[in-house]
Amino acid sequence: MNLAELADTSARHMSFIETGRSQPSRTMLMRLADRLEVPPRERNVLMRAGGWSAIYPEHRIQDDPALAPARDTVELVLRGHEPYPAIAVDRHWNLLARNRALGPLHDGNIAPFLLRPPLNVLRLSLHPQGLAPRIVNLGQWRAHLLHRLRRQVGATADPVLHALHEELSGYPGPAPNALASSVQGFAIPMQLRTPCGVLSFVSATTMFKNPVDVTLCELIIETFLPADQATAQSLQKAMLSRRWPQASWEPEPEQGRRNHP
């Protein structure tokens, strides 16, 4: 009854749609998707299930000419955050693009299979052969990432994300210490041992507003900002003193999919 009111129809008609006794119109399906705040990918599924064509197109962000302006925008954001690290990831947290400042975070003993495409940034962060041994506050950071991923699984019911959450939850890690879980009471940092010393970051997320492509709806730009002055100064010095590799787009995940240990 509440949904019918929101969708400007009768409870009887809504019941008929729900039980399959009535075929919903395209307009009704779009109205229901709006009221229920259905994500774009699932809206396409809903429309096809109702016998209509998909609403949102889907293109490859890496090389499709249709998304060239979006690639330029992503690159502008990534470069604009240098000398601080920034990445772009897809809905499964596979790396799509990065800026040059990500280099120092990868310095160290990382298993090569974790760096092959598709490079999953959550797996790289928490795997015992990845960044995990160098994360000073691994308990807090691990709990933060798993909580964020769990909420994403709950919102999307994506089986790939569910499998990723199960995998990462099985990795060894210390229990979080609530007393050391924030920076100035507002954010959980990632404190990472590097050749420049311990660097402390807080992360921020950027997304496209009102995109009309499924890929752009799901693209996330994750930026890592210095949580203290020492980290800011270390990254600024590293940018000036070292030749960092050029920022780049990563290979298409489907082209490089592989089994991992």
Side-chain angles (χ1 to χ4, degrees):
M1 185 179 295
N2 291 337
L3 180 58
E5 183 177 353
L6 290 173
D8 299 324
T9 188
S10 67
R12 173 186 169 89
H13 184 49
M14 185 61 61
S15 177
F16 277 24
I17 292 175
E18 182 180 14
T19 57
R21 297 175 65 183
S22 291
Q23 182 75 11
S25 67
R26 180 181 176 90
T27 300
M28 176 57 69
L29 285 178
M30 292 176 64
R31 193 182 305 161
L32 289 172
D34 284 337
R35 301 303 186 268
L36 295 172
E37 298 182 357
V38 178
R41 181 175 296 276
E42 284 69 32
R43 291 191 186 209
N44 283 348
V45 174
L46 178 64
M47 298 303 294
R48 294 190 186 102
W52 305 96
S53 60
I55 304 174
Y56 295 94
E58 182 175 5
H59 300 88
R60 287 169 27 123
I61 184 68
Q62 286 88 342
D63 54 19
D64 196 304
L67 294 188
R71 282 196 301 274
D72 293 341
T73 300
V74 172
E75 291 170 5
L76 180 63
V77 174
L78 295 180
R79 288 197 306 268
H81 276 274
E82 294 177 357
Y84 309 134
I87 58 176
V89 298
D90 65 15
R91 71 185 190 279
H92 294 145
W93 293 93
N94 293 317
L95 185 65
L96 297 176
R98 56 182 170 80
N99 68 7
R100 297 178 299 164
L102 201 66
L105 271 67
H106 284 177
D107 284 348
N109 187 20
I110 296 177
F113 73 86
L114 290 171
L115 300 176
R116 300 188 195 114
L119 192 165
N120 187 278
V121 299
L122 298 188
R123 182 179 293 120
L124 176 64
S125 297
L126 299 183
H127 197 283
Q129 293 179 269
L131 294 177
R134 295 197 286 122
I135 298 178
V136 177
N137 61 329
L138 179 59
Q140 289 75 39
W141 189 245
R142 179 175 182 272
H144 164 66
L145 292 185
L146 290 178
H147 173 71
R148 183 173 179 179
L149 182 57
R150 187 163 55 249
R151 291 186 61 184
Q152 191 176 359
V153 171
T156 64
D158 189 313
V160 175
L161 291 176
H162 176 74
L164 180 62
H165 183 271
E166 291 294 306
E167 175 191 340
L168 302 187
S169 298
Y171 291 169
N177 180 357
L179 296 178
S181 63
S182 65
V183 173
Q184 298 178 349
F186 76 90
I188 296 175
M190 180 181 69
Q191 297 169 332
L192 186 68
R193 295 186 186 91
T194 74
C196 303
V198 175
L199 303 181
S200 185
F201 299 94
V202 291
S203 63
T205 299
T206 301
M207 302 179 69
F208 281 95
K209 184 176 182 180
N210 301 325
V212 293
D213 184 275
V214 171
T215 302
L216 295 184
C217 290
E218 298 169 339
L219 185 142
I220 297 173
I221 299 176
E222 196 82 5
T223 57
F224 296 88
L225 306 174
D228 53 47
Q229 192 62 31
T231 298
Q233 292 175 351
S234 294
L235 290 172
Q236 289 166 2
K237 290 179 181 178
M239 187 75 169
L240 294 174
S241 62
R242 301 175 55 182
R243 292 192 62 182
W244 287 357
Q246 184 64 36
S248 66
W249 288 84
E250 297 298 307
E252 177 72 17
E254 284 72 18
Q255 294 177 354
R257 190 163 299 282
R258 48 137 182 91
N259 294 325
H260 62 273

